[in-house]
Amino acid sequence: MAGSTNSDTGGARTDDPPGYAGVPEPADVPEPAGSELPPDIPADRPGAPGPAPTGRIRQPVALIRLLVGLAAITLTLLLADYARATTSGIAADVAQAARLVPRPLAAIAGGLSTAALLLVPVWSAMRRLLSAVPDRRRILQHLSDGLLAAVLAYGAALAVDLGVDELAPASLVAALTQPLPGHTLAHTEPVYGYLAPVLAFMTASAAREHRVPRIVLSVSALAGLAAGYATPTALLLGLLIGWTAAHGTLYAVGTPDPRPRPAQLLQSLRDAGLRPIAAHPAGPDRYLVRQEAGRPDLDVQLLDRQAVTAALVQRAWRRLRLRTAPHPRALRSLRTGLEHEALVSYAAVAAGVRTRRIAATAGLCRDSALVAYEYLPGRTLDQLADDELTDRLLTDAWSQLALLQRREISHRALVPSSLLVDRAGAVHLVDLADGDIAAGELVLRCDIAQLLTTLALRVGAERSVRTAVAVLGPDVVGAALPLLQPIALARTTRSALKQAARAHCAAPAPATATATATATATATATGSGAGPADAPAAPPPPGELLDAIRAEVLRTQPQAPVRAVKVERLRPRTLLAVAGGVVAGWLLLPQLFASEQNPIAAVADADPIWLALAVLAAVASHFTAAMGFVGFVPERLDFRNAVLAQLAGSFVKLVSPGGVGGVALNTRFLQRAGIPTAQALSSVGVGQLFGLVLHLLQLGAFVYLLDLEPGGSELDALPAVVSGLAGAGVLLAGVSAVPPARRWLAARLRPLTSEVLPRLLELLRSPGRLAVGVAGQLLVSLCLVACLYCCVRAVGREPAFASVAVVFLIGNAVGNAAPTPGGAGAVDSALVTLLEHTASMEEGGALAGVALYRLLTLVLPVLPGWAAFAWLQRRGAL
C-alpha cells in the first residue's frame, strides 16, 4: 500500500514541494489484514449488529418539502391578492384565447381529460399490482399511502374553496376565479380540485412511471383552461395542494423503510462480481460483509438519498456562508455523488495515502446505492487511550496528510472518526466523501488547521504543533495559522471545543492541579510511563486552545501571518439586516400612502423656524456625543478629531446594526490614538455603562413629569416602568437560581468586573473629566429629544415635551436592540406608535414628524459622516 511510495523513514524526498520536510513512514509497517472480519461483532462495540430495517420511518426530507409546499401556497395566495391586476390580466388573456376554441370541442375535451385523469391512479395501481415484484407488501403500503394522500388533498382543496368563498376578501376571490361560461352570477372554483388528489396519489405512492401521469395532468389542465372551468392561479393551487398533501401524509404516517434488506444487498454485490456469503448490520447505513474463503471481507456503506437530504438545509447554508465548506451532497445526483466519492478514494490511493480501498460500487434503487470497501480492522482516534497517542502515531497522521497535500487533495473532515489506526499502529485516513481533487490553497490550509485542532484536543497544542512542523515544515504550518478560527473548523470539532470548555469550567481547578502534580511526581519517582515526548499532556482550556496553538506555531515560525483569513461569504447579521430592511419597507410604505394626511406634504410645509431649531439640535448632538466620549477616557484626546469621529459614526451606523458600529468606531479611534486595546475597550465600556444608567434615570424622570401633566397619564406610564423594572429583577433572580444560566450570565459580566470597573476607578481620580463625560451623555439625549420635539412642532403639532422625551428614550432603546442598520424600521415604527398613544397624535402627523426627524439624524448626516470618516483615515486617526 502506501509503504511503497517512500523508501526510507526520514529525510526529504527529492520531489517534495518547497516548504515540506520529509514525509516519514513508520518502518516495517505490515499490510493490515483486511480479510479478518470477526466471526461475531461484540454487542458493546460501536456499530454492533442490529435488526434488518423494517417498519416505517419519518424522513426529514418529507417535512422539508411539506414546509416548502405550505410556503408556496401562502405566497401564491398573497401574490394573487397583492398583484391582482397582474393575475386578473393573465386570466383575462387566457380566457380570451380560450374563446377561440369551439365550445362543443372544449366541452368534449374537458370531459375526456377529466375521465382520463381519474383513471390514472387506477391504471398505476393495477400496473404495479400485476407486475412481477417479490416485495408485494411494500407495494400495498405505497398504494395505501397514496390513497390516504389523495383523500387529504381532496379535502384540503375543498377547504380552501370554502375558505376563499366565505372568508377571503373580494379582491382575492376575483383573482382566483372567473365567471362560468353561460352564467353571470356563478364563478369557477378557486382551486381546480381534480388535479390535487391525482398528483397526491402519484407522489405519495412512489410511482415510478412519470411520463403518462404528467401528460394526462397537462392535458387536463389545458382542457380546464380552454373550457373556462379554471384560472391559471387555480391550476397552480391545485398542483401545490396535491404535492404538499402527499409529503404531509408521508411525514405523518411515515414511509416504508427504503433501506435494502440484507438479501438485496448481497445480490447487488454478486451482480458487481463479488462473492458475499453473509451481511452483518454494523450501524446506520453500514454493513460488514463476509466473502468466500480467499477473498477480503467488505465494509459496505449505503448512500441513502433521504438521509443525505435531511442535512440539506444545514449543508447548503454552510456552503453559502463559507468559502471552505464542501459542496452539499444533496445537490448532487446520487450517481454523481457515488462517482465523486470513488474518484477521491482512487486519487488518495494513487497518492500513496493509506485508506480503505474500494472493491465495488452499485446502485440499489432510485434513492440508494452502495460503496463496498475492503474491510479494515482498527480503532478511530477517539477510541484510543491517551497512552497510545505516541509521537510516532501523530507523526504518521501528519505524514498521511502530507501525501494528500502534495497531490492537492483535500479531506475536509479530519475529525477523530476519520483517523483509523490499524492493528500495527499505522494511521489510515478514511471518510473521503467530502474531499476534493485539485483543491485550492485555502481548503488545503484549512485541512492543516483542522488536524492541528483535532490532535490538540487529545494531546495538547505543543505536541500537535511539534509533530506537524517535523513533517510539514514550519512554513507550511505557519501558512495555516490564518485558518485557525472556529468558523473554519468542522461542526463536531466546534462541539468538542465547547463541551470540553464546559467540562473545564465545571472541574475544580485546585483539585486538578493537585492531581496533575501528584501524577507528575509519581511518574518522576518511579520512572514509569512514556517519556517526556510521548506523555499525553492534558490540553489547555479549550477556550484558550486555539490561542495556545497559535503561540506554539509562532514560537517555531515568528514571521507566520496571524491575521485571520475571511472565510465567510455571508454573515447571519447581514441577512438579518436585509430582512429587517424589507420588513421596515413593508410596514412604512403603506403608512406613507394610506394615512389620511400625506406626511410628505406635511414635511414640505414644515415651519422654517422650528425646522431650523431641529437642525441646530441635530448638529449639537455630535458635539455633546464627543463630550460624552472623551470624558470617559483618562488619556488626552484631540477634541476636534473626537467630534469628527462621532460624525463618522453617522456613516458607519448606516451599514451596521444598532449601536455596534459606533462602539467599533470609537474603539478603533482610541487604538489609533495610542491607547492599548484593553484600555480602549474598557473606556468604551465605561461610557456604555454610564449611558445605560443615565438613560434609565432620564426615562424615569420624564415618565414622572408626564404623569404630573394634565391628561398625561393615559398610559399610566410610571406604574408600567416600575412593573418593568420589577419584572427585570425577578428575571435576574430566576437566572441566578439556574446554574447553567448563572454561568452564562457570569461569563457575560466577567469583562465588566475585570476591565470596566478598574477603568472606572481610574477615572474617579479625575472628577472634572468624569463630569464632562456625564454631562455629555445627558446632553446628547436632550439634544436628540429636542430635535424630535422641534420636528413635531415643525409639522404643526403641539405635544408635551415630556411625552416626546419618553417616546424618544423608548424608541432609541428599541433601535439599539434592532439588528437593522441604524435601527431602520424598528425605530420608525416604535416612534410613530408611541407618538400616537403617548402624545395623542394622529397617524399622519406622527409619521410626518418621525420622517423629518429621521431625515435630519439618519439620512442627511451620511455624506458629512463619510467625508469625516475618509478624512480621519487619511490622517491615520482611524
Side-chain angles (χ1 to χ4, degrees):
M1 295 177 65
S4 61
T5 61
N6 294 332
S7 58
D8 50 25
T9 56
R13 289 168 50 122
T14 57
D15 58 343
D16 283 346
Y20 274 93
V23 181
E25 289 282 341
D28 302 326
V29 175
E31 192 79 12
S35 61
E36 298 180 7
L37 185 67
D40 186 22
I41 305 173
D44 58 349
R45 172 180 169 179
T54 58
R56 291 176 174 265
I57 59 175
R58 284 191 174 91
Q59 300 283 9
V61 65
L63 177 60
I64 295 175
R65 290 173 179 171
L66 170 64
L67 297 177
V68 170
L70 292 175
I73 293 172
T74 304
L75 183 62
T76 301
L77 293 174
L78 289 175
L79 289 178
D81 190 20
Y82 281 94
R84 49 185 173 270
T86 302
T87 54
S88 300
I90 294 175
D93 294 339
V94 172
Q96 184 177 1
R99 294 191 188 99
L100 302 177
V101 181
R103 180 58 50 191
L105 180 61
I108 294 174
L112 292 177
S113 62
T114 301
L117 184 66
L118 296 179
L119 288 176
V120 164
V122 179
W123 167 80
S124 177
M126 295 300 296
R127 185 173 181 270
R128 296 173 68 180
L129 288 173
L130 296 177
S131 62
V133 177
D135 197 352
R136 195 168 298 274
R137 178 184 177 186
R138 179 172 293 188
I139 293 179
L140 293 176
Q141 288 178 335
H142 284 307
L143 293 178
S144 63
D145 293 343
L147 183 61
L148 178 60
V151 173
L152 293 178
Y154 189 70
L158 288 179
V160 173
D161 283 339
L162 294 176
V164 170
D165 286 335
E166 300 294 334
L167 304 176
S171 58
L172 181 58
V173 175
L176 296 178
T177 63
Q178 63 185 11
L180 282 172
H183 298 78
T184 56
L185 299 179
H187 59 75
T188 60
E189 297 294 338
V191 179
Y192 195 55
Y194 294 112
L195 301 181
V198 175
L199 181 60
F201 177 86
M202 300 303 296
T203 303
S205 63
R208 294 179 178 272
E209 178 60 44
H210 299 290
R211 182 178 303 175
V212 173
R214 288 174 181 173
I215 292 175
V216 175
L217 285 170
S218 301
V219 171
S220 178
L222 292 175
L225 291 176
Y229 294 138
T231 63
T233 311
L235 294 177
L236 179 60
L237 280 176
L239 294 174
L240 288 175
I241 289 174
W243 189 80
T244 305
H247 292 292
T249 302
L250 292 178
Y251 185 74
V253 303
T255 57
D257 195 338
R259 291 175 296 178
R261 271 50 175 179
Q264 183 182 358
L265 180 71
L266 294 178
Q267 184 60 45
S268 298
L269 293 175
R270 292 190 189 101
D271 294 340
L274 301 176
R275 296 292 183 267
I277 57 176
H280 305 269
D285 297 330
R286 181 171 173 241
Y287 284 85
L288 298 181
V289 177
R290 186 183 302 279
Q291 292 202 93
E292 295 177 355
R295 288 178 173 266
D297 295 322
L298 303 174
D299 188 346
V300 178
Q301 185 72 38
L302 299 182
L303 301 180
D304 182 7
R305 163 62 62 187
Q306 307 293 337
V308 171
T309 308
L312 171 62
V313 175
Q314 180 181 2
R315 282 177 168 265
W317 164 244
R318 188 166 176 83
R319 176 69 176 178
L320 177 65
R321 182 184 179 188
L322 301 180
R323 298 161 57 194
T324 58
H327 188 79
R329 300 183 209 172
L331 299 183
R332 306 174 180 147
S333 67
L334 197 63
R335 183 181 183 87
T336 302
L338 191 66
E339 292 172 349
H340 177 82
E341 183 170 352
L343 178 63
V344 177
S345 179
Y346 288 137
V349 171
V353 179
R354 299 193 205 96
T355 187
R356 296 179 298 187
R357 294 176 180 270
I358 291 182
T361 60
L364 297 172
C365 60
R366 183 182 60 181
D367 291 330
S368 61
L370 64 84
V371 181
Y373 294 95
E374 293 182 2
Y375 176 69
L376 180 65
R379 292 175 295 165
T380 56
L381 185 68
D382 51 351
Q383 295 173 335
L384 297 178
D386 289 342
D387 56 358
E388 296 179 277
L389 299 176
T390 63
D391 278 4
R392 181 174 178 271
L393 186 143
L394 302 180
T395 301
D396 190 27
W398 285 111
S399 301
Q400 299 306 302
L401 178 60
L403 293 172
L404 285 180
Q405 298 265 316
R406 183 179 294 112
R407 296 293 182 91
E408 296 183 349
I409 303 172
S410 67
H411 190 289
R412 292 184 181 270
L414 288 169
V415 294
S417 60
S418 298
L419 277 69
L420 185 67
V421 181
D422 64 17
R423 296 169 180 173
V427 177
H428 300 252
L429 301 183
V430 297
D431 298 337
L432 291 163
D434 286 329
D436 276 328
I437 307 295
E441 181 184 359
L442 191 68
V443 178
L444 295 176
R445 287 191 289 165
C446 192
D447 274 353
I448 298 176
Q450 173 65 53
L451 188 56
L452 278 171
T453 309
T454 298
L455 296 181
L457 279 168
R458 290 298 309 273
V459 301
E462 189 274 332
R463 290 183 62 198
S464 177
V465 173
R466 173 162 50 82
T467 52
V469 170
V471 176
L472 304 179
D475 293 335
V476 175
V477 178
L481 204 57
L483 273 301
L484 199 65
Q485 45 185 308
I487 192 63
L489 302 176
R491 185 181 64 172
T492 53
T493 303
R494 297 196 303 271
S495 300
L497 287 170
K498 294 178 182 178
Q499 185 177 4
R502 289 192 294 266
H504 176 80
C505 293
T512 302
T514 304
T516 303
T518 304
T520 304
T522 304
T524 303
T526 61
S528 61
D534 291 348
E544 305 172 2
L545 181 60
L546 299 183
D547 291 335
I549 296 175
R550 292 188 190 95
E552 290 295 333
V553 173
L554 291 175
R555 188 176 303 168
T556 59
Q557 184 69 7
Q559 294 80 21
V562 294
R563 185 174 182 178
V565 172
K566 184 179 179 180
V567 298
E568 286 184 292
R569 293 192 186 98
L570 183 67
R571 295 186 176 184
R573 188 171 59 191
T574 305
L575 285 182
L576 287 176
V578 173
V582 172
V583 172
W586 185 278
L587 295 176
L588 293 178
L589 288 179
Q591 295 181 16
L592 288 174
F593 300 103
S595 58
E596 296 180 359
Q597 182 179 359
N598 189 348
I600 299 178
V603 171
D605 298 335
D607 189 319
I609 297 178
W610 285 108
L611 183 59
L613 292 176
V615 172
L616 288 177
V619 172
S621 67
H622 296 292
F623 291 91
T624 55
M627 291 173 54
F629 172 56
V630 301
F632 295 104
V633 182
E635 293 80 5
R636 184 177 181 82
L637 298 174
D638 189 334
F639 186 74
R640 180 189 61 177
N641 287 348
V643 173
L644 292 176
Q646 304 313 303
L647 182 60
S650 302
F651 167 70
V652 173
K653 72 180 179 181
L654 194 66
V655 293
S656 61
V660 175
V663 171
L665 183 72
N666 289 336
T667 304
R668 180 62 176 170
F669 178 78
L670 294 180
Q671 289 175 329
R672 298 297 291 176
I675 299 175
T677 303
Q679 284 81 352
L681 290 171
S682 301
S683 295
V684 175
V686 170
Q688 294 290 314
L689 179 62
F690 266 86
L692 175 62
V693 173
L694 294 175
H695 187 95
L696 294 176
L697 291 177
Q698 290 178 89
L699 179 61
F702 282 114
V703 166
Y704 179 74
L705 294 176
L706 180 62
D707 286 340
L708 292 180
E709 294 182 0
S713 57
E714 296 180 7
L715 292 180
D716 209 7
L718 186 58
V721 172
V722 173
S723 300
L725 294 176
V730 172
L731 179 62
L732 181 61
V735 169
S736 301
V738 180
R742 184 171 63 248
R743 288 194 296 269
W744 177 85
L745 183 62
R748 296 302 183 273
L749 295 179
R750 191 174 296 116
L752 176 67
T753 57
S754 61
E755 299 175 2
V756 175
L757 293 182
R759 192 68 164 172
L760 179 59
L761 294 176
E762 185 178 355
L763 281 171
L764 292 177
R765 302 174 184 174
S766 304
R769 182 174 292 274
L770 185 60
V772 171
V774 173
Q777 292 281 4
L778 287 171
L779 289 175
V780 68
S781 296
L782 292 177
C783 285
L784 293 175
V785 170
C787 180
L788 179 59
Y789 178 77
C790 293
C791 289
V792 175
R793 293 297 301 269
V795 297
R797 308 303 186 273
E798 298 182 1
F801 186 83
S803 63
V804 174
V806 171
V807 168
F808 166 78
L809 292 171
I810 297 177
N812 188 57
V814 171
N816 287 331
T820 56
V827 171
D828 309 273
S829 300
L831 291 179
V832 170
T833 303
L834 290 171
L835 282 175
E836 292 176 11
H837 293 83
T838 306
S840 301
M841 293 177 60
E842 79 282 0
E843 182 182 3
L847 190 58
V850 172
L852 183 57
Y853 167 74
R854 296 290 277 175
L855 180 68
L856 296 179
T857 58
L858 179 66
V859 179
L860 293 182
V862 170
L863 186 59
W866 171 80
F869 186 84
W871 189 84
L872 289 174
Q873 279 192 321
R874 287 197 301 270
R875 295 291 300 270
L878 277 181

